[in-house]
Amino acid sequence: MALRLGDEAPNFTAETTEGTINFHEWLGNGWGILFSHPKDFTPVCTTELGTMARIMPEFKKRNVKVLAISVDPIDSHKGWIKDINETQNCTVSYPIIADPDRKVAQLYDMIHPNALDNLTVRSVFIIGPDKKIKLMLTYPASTGRNFDELLRVVDSLQLTANYKVATPANWRHGEDCIITPAVSDDEAKKLFPKGWKAVKPYLRYTPQPTK
C-alpha cells in the first residue's frame, strides 16, 4: 500500500557511507529529509547531492537531518562522492544509504512501475519529530529538484506545527501568515496580539508569530 501524508515513516536498518543506522533512532527527536536517486554517477543527481551539501548549514539551523539513498553499493557511493565534491565544489557531509537489495526503496514505494526494476524514482520525504510523513514529492529524471523549496516547506511545516496558522502561496519565512479557519476571532485576539487583516471572514492575515 502506498504511503500517504500523516503515515508513520517506515523504520529500517541500513548500511550507509557513515556506518549502519536505524532510521528512527538516527532521526532522534528532530526533523528529517530522505531523498532518493536512481543510481550513482548520474548527471542531474550529481548536481542535487552537491546542492544539498552546500546548503546543509541551513538545514542544520532548522534541526533537520538529511539522508540520501541509491540502490548502488557503498564502494560505488564513495567513488561518486569524490566526483560530487570535485565537480560541485562541496563536501558531502550527510550519509547515503546503500540499498542494493532495494529493501528501503520498496518500503518507501520508490521503485518506478514503468521503468527498470532497479530504478528508484526521485522522491523526497520530509519527516517530523513524531516520525510522521509531512511532505512527499516525486520528480522525473530530467528535472532537478528545487532545494530552496525544500527549505521553504520546512520553515512552513515547523511554523504551522507550533502555531494555529497556515502559509499562503509562495510564502517565505518572515512574511504574513493566515489564521486557520478553526480559530474564532475571540481566540485569535489572544493568540495573535499583533492583530490581523481580514480580507474575508475566512481569510485573515497576521504577521508571522515568531517574528
Side-chain angles (χ1 to χ4, degrees):
M1 186 174 176
L3 294 172
R4 295 167 297 184
L5 291 182
D7 286 350
E8 182 173 283
N11 194 23
F12 56 84
T13 298
E15 296 298 319
T16 80
T17 50
E18 296 186 9
T20 303
I21 67 165
N22 174 284
F23 186 47
H24 283 190
E25 290 177 4
W26 179 81
L27 283 172
N29 296 318
W31 292 74
I33 288 180
L34 173 65
F35 67 125
S36 67
H37 303 273
K39 62 188 283 86
D40 296 355
F41 302 103
T42 52
V44 174
C45 293
T46 296
T47 67
E48 291 182 331
L49 269 73
T51 299
M52 178 61 90
R54 289 194 301 273
I55 64 173
M56 273 301 295
E58 292 299 322
F59 285 104
K60 286 180 180 177
K61 271 194 234 174
R62 294 160 172 80
N63 192 29
V64 179
K65 288 186 171 182
V66 171
L67 183 62
I69 176 173
S70 167
V71 296
D72 288 317
I74 290 287
D75 287 347
S76 176
H77 286 358
K78 289 181 177 177
W80 189 27
I81 286 172
K82 290 179 183 177
D83 279 7
I84 296 166
N85 291 341
E86 175 191 343
T87 64
Q88 305 304 307
N89 191 29
C90 67
T91 300
V92 173
S93 60
Y94 51 86
I96 305 175
I97 294 170
D99 193 35
D101 61 1
R102 296 172 292 160
K103 173 186 165 188
V104 178
Q106 289 174 341
L107 263 182
Y108 280 80
D109 198 26
M110 292 174 178
I111 300 297
H112 198 302
N114 298 318
L116 300 173
D117 64 0
N118 66 342
L119 187 65
T120 54
V121 294
R122 291 166 57 249
S123 299
V124 182
F125 297 87
I126 297 181
I127 296 150
D130 58 0
K131 308 298 185 293
K132 300 290 178 64
I133 296 171
K134 306 300 182 182
L135 174 126
M136 298 186 295
L137 288 171
T138 300
Y139 288 76
S142 57
T143 304
R145 284 172 268 213
N146 185 328
F147 288 85
D148 290 336
E149 169 66 1
L150 296 184
L151 282 171
R152 189 189 79 88
V153 170
V154 166
D155 285 338
S156 174
L157 288 169
Q158 292 184 342
L159 177 69
T160 58
N162 293 307
Y163 297 91
K164 293 182 178 181
V165 294
T167 55
N170 297 327
W171 175 88
R172 290 193 174 277
H173 182 72
E175 296 178 351
D176 287 356
C177 304
I178 294 171
I179 300 171
T180 55
V183 176
S184 68
D185 283 352
D186 286 341
E187 186 183 2
K189 290 174 185 176
K190 300 172 187 174
L191 295 177
F192 306 104
K194 295 175 185 175
W196 65 87
K197 178 184 177 182
V199 180
K200 292 286 184 181
Y202 61 86
L203 184 56
R204 298 167 292 174
Y205 289 95
T206 189
Q208 182 174 318
T210 55
K211 297 299 284 184

